[in-house]
Amino acid sequence: MMTTHDVIRTQKIGIMGVGNMGQAVLSAFIDSGIVPRENIIIANRSERKLKKVANEFQVRSVNTNEQLIDESNVVIIGVKPQDLYQAIEPIASSFHEDHVVISLAAGIPLASLEKLIPNAKKILRVLPNTAAKIKLSVIAYSSSAGATHHLKWIEDLLSTMGFVVAVEDGEMMEAMVVASSSGIGFVYELMMYWQEWLGERGISANIAKQVTTKVFAGAAAMAEAAPQVSFEELLRKVTSLKGVTAAGLESIRELEIERALRISFEKAAMRDKELGQTWIKID
Ligand SMILES: NC(=O)c1ccc[n+]([C@@H]2O[C@H](COP(=O)([O-])OP(=O)(O)OC[C@H]3O[C@@H](n4cnc5c(N)ncnc54)[C@H](OP(=O)(O)O)[C@@H]3O)[C@@H](O)[C@H]2O)c1
C-alpha cells in the first residue's frame, strides 16, 4: 500500500515566488528528505533571485509561471498578497482540476482564490508563521471541498515546516493570523519588557536577552512535555500560596492585562480584515 510519503515522492512541486517564505518552504521540503530535489521547480519575478536560489538549493528553475504550472502537480504560490492577483489572473486558465494549489498569501480568503482560479478544484489557503524558517512554524490551513481526499499527504508535506492545524476559513483563520502569525511579534514585545526590566536591575542586555529567551523556551518546553496538563494546572504548580509568583500574578490580574491583550488581538483581527479587502478585488 502507498504511504503518504510515497505519494509525496511522486509529486512535481512548483514554487512560484521564492522570497522569504518561498525559500523557507523550499528548505523545509528538501531537508525533510521526503521531497526529492529533482521534483521541485521554482519561478520568480526577478531573474537574479531565481538563479541565486536555484543555485543555492540545487533545484530547477523555469522562466515563466505558465511553465511552472504546466510542469507541476502541486503549485505553491509564494508571492505577496498585493502581487497575487496580477500574477495569477492572466494565467488562471493554465491550471486544471488535477492541480493542488497552495496559496501562502496572508489575508486572501479561500473563496477569493476559488474565484480567481476556477479550473482548480483542490485549493488550499495555508498560513505558516515566520518560524517556518527553522521548521517550528504553526501552519494553519483551510481547503476547498475538492481537496478533501488528498489532505493526508498534503498535511504531511506541510508538516515539514512545523505543526499543522486545519481550520475553517473566516473567523478561525483570522484567529490564527492574529495568534500565530502576529503572535510571534506579540511574544517578542513581551520578551522586550522582560529584558528591559532585567537591564534596569543591572543585568547586561546580552545576558538579559538570553535569560528571557530561556524562560520563554523553558515554559513552552514544559507545556509541550505535558500535553494533557492545562496551562491553569501548570501555573498552579509553579505558584505557592502567598509566594513571589502569587504576588506578581495578583497584580497582573488587577491590572487586567488579559483585557488589554484581548483588545489588542481584536484590533489586529480588524486590520487583517481591512487588508484582505484592499489587497484583492476578486469578489
Ligand atoms: N514572510 C513571512 O514570515 C510570511 C508569513 C506568513 C505568510 N507569508 C506569505 O508568504 C508570501 C510571500 O511573502 P514573503 O515574505 O516571502 O515575500 P517576499 O520575500 O517579497 O517574496 C515574494 C517573492 O515573490 C516574487 N514575485 C512577485 N511577483 C511574482 C510573479 N508575478 N511571479 C513570480 N514571482 C513573483 C518576488 O520576486 P522579486 O524577486 O522580484 O521580489 C519575491 O521573490 C506572502 O503572500 C505572505 O503573505 C509570509
Side-chain angles (χ1 to χ4, degrees):
M1 210 179 83
M2 280 229 324
T3 66
T4 52
H5 285 192
D6 293 334
V7 179
I8 292 170
R9 267 184 219 106
T10 64
Q11 304 300 319
K12 294 271 182 221
I13 300 178
I15 306 178
M16 184 192 300
V18 282
N20 294 314
M21 193 44 79
Q23 287 179 50
V25 171
L26 186 53
S27 150
F29 286 178
I30 290 174
D31 291 351
S32 73
I34 55 171
V35 182
R37 220 180 266 276
E38 57 274 19
N39 286 1
I40 302 177
I41 316 164
I42 60 171
N44 192 69
R45 183 175 54 194
S46 69
E47 203 189 329
R48 208 162 144 253
K49 194 189 284 175
L50 180 66
K51 294 292 169 231
K52 187 176 163 285
V53 175
N55 195 35
E56 186 184 334
F57 291 91
Q58 290 295 300
V59 292
R60 197 160 70 84
S61 64
V62 289
N63 291 328
T64 66
N65 290 335
E66 288 101 313
Q67 200 181 341
L68 181 110
I69 296 166
D70 281 350
E71 295 190 25
S72 311
N73 312 105
V74 180
V75 177
I76 298 180
I77 306 173
V79 308
K80 289 243 188 223
Q82 57 269 39
D83 293 328
L84 186 133
Y85 186 79
Q86 222 179 353
I88 300 298
E89 198 267 344
I91 54 167
S93 60
S94 309
F95 288 94
H96 53 71
E97 64 176 20
D98 290 333
H99 275 119
V100 170
V101 181
I102 296 178
S103 163
L104 303 173
I108 311 282
L110 182 64
S112 301
L113 295 165
E114 286 168 338
K115 278 188 190 154
L116 182 63
I117 318 171
N119 292 356
K121 302 297 170 208
K122 302 172 200 126
I123 304 183
L124 285 90
R125 175 186 176 189
V126 171
L127 179 83
N129 67 18
T130 42
K133 279 185 223 146
I134 54 163
K135 290 127 191 144
L136 285 177
S137 181
V138 169
I139 305 111
Y141 81 87
S142 52
S143 55
S144 56
T148 309
H149 298 303
H150 301 267
L151 292 179
K152 266 201 164 144
W153 69 262
I154 296 172
E155 279 198 5
D156 268 8
L157 179 65
L158 297 175
S159 70
T160 57
M161 287 184 279
F163 177 65
V164 180
V165 191
V167 295
E168 280 167 31
D169 210 18
E171 280 225 317
M172 283 171 86
M173 184 61 91
E174 195 177 273
M176 295 304 288
V177 170
V178 174
S180 166
S181 288
S182 303
I184 297 239
F186 300 157
V187 171
Y188 284 150
E189 175 81 10
L190 295 178
M191 290 172 102
M192 269 162 47
Y193 305 159
W194 250 252
Q195 185 194 25
E196 275 167 28
W197 191 81
L198 286 166
E200 283 163 20
R201 295 281 175 131
I203 293 168
S204 73
N206 173 33
I207 297 292
K209 185 185 173 202
Q210 291 186 63
V211 169
T212 304
T213 306
K214 297 284 181 202
V215 170
F216 277 72
M222 285 197 291
E224 201 160 37
Q228 310 301 337
V229 183
S230 68
F231 285 124
E232 286 82 353
E233 183 56 26
L234 288 167
L235 183 54
R236 248 196 311 275
K237 282 188 181 157
V238 297
T239 314
S240 47
L241 200 67
K242 297 200 169 135
V244 176
T245 312
L249 284 172
E250 198 183 320
S251 187
I252 284 177
R253 286 164 190 163
E254 266 169 29
L255 291 165
E256 296 193 81
I257 289 178
E258 184 190 357
R259 200 172 83 85
L261 281 176
R262 272 178 183 274
I263 293 169
S264 312
F265 280 25
E266 291 302 330
K267 276 247 166 84
M270 272 163 60
R271 183 67 183 142
D272 177 56
K273 251 197 207 95
E274 270 169 30
L275 284 176
Q277 281 158 7
T278 50
W279 275 330
I280 202 154
K281 303 265 177 262
I282 297 170
D283 296 320

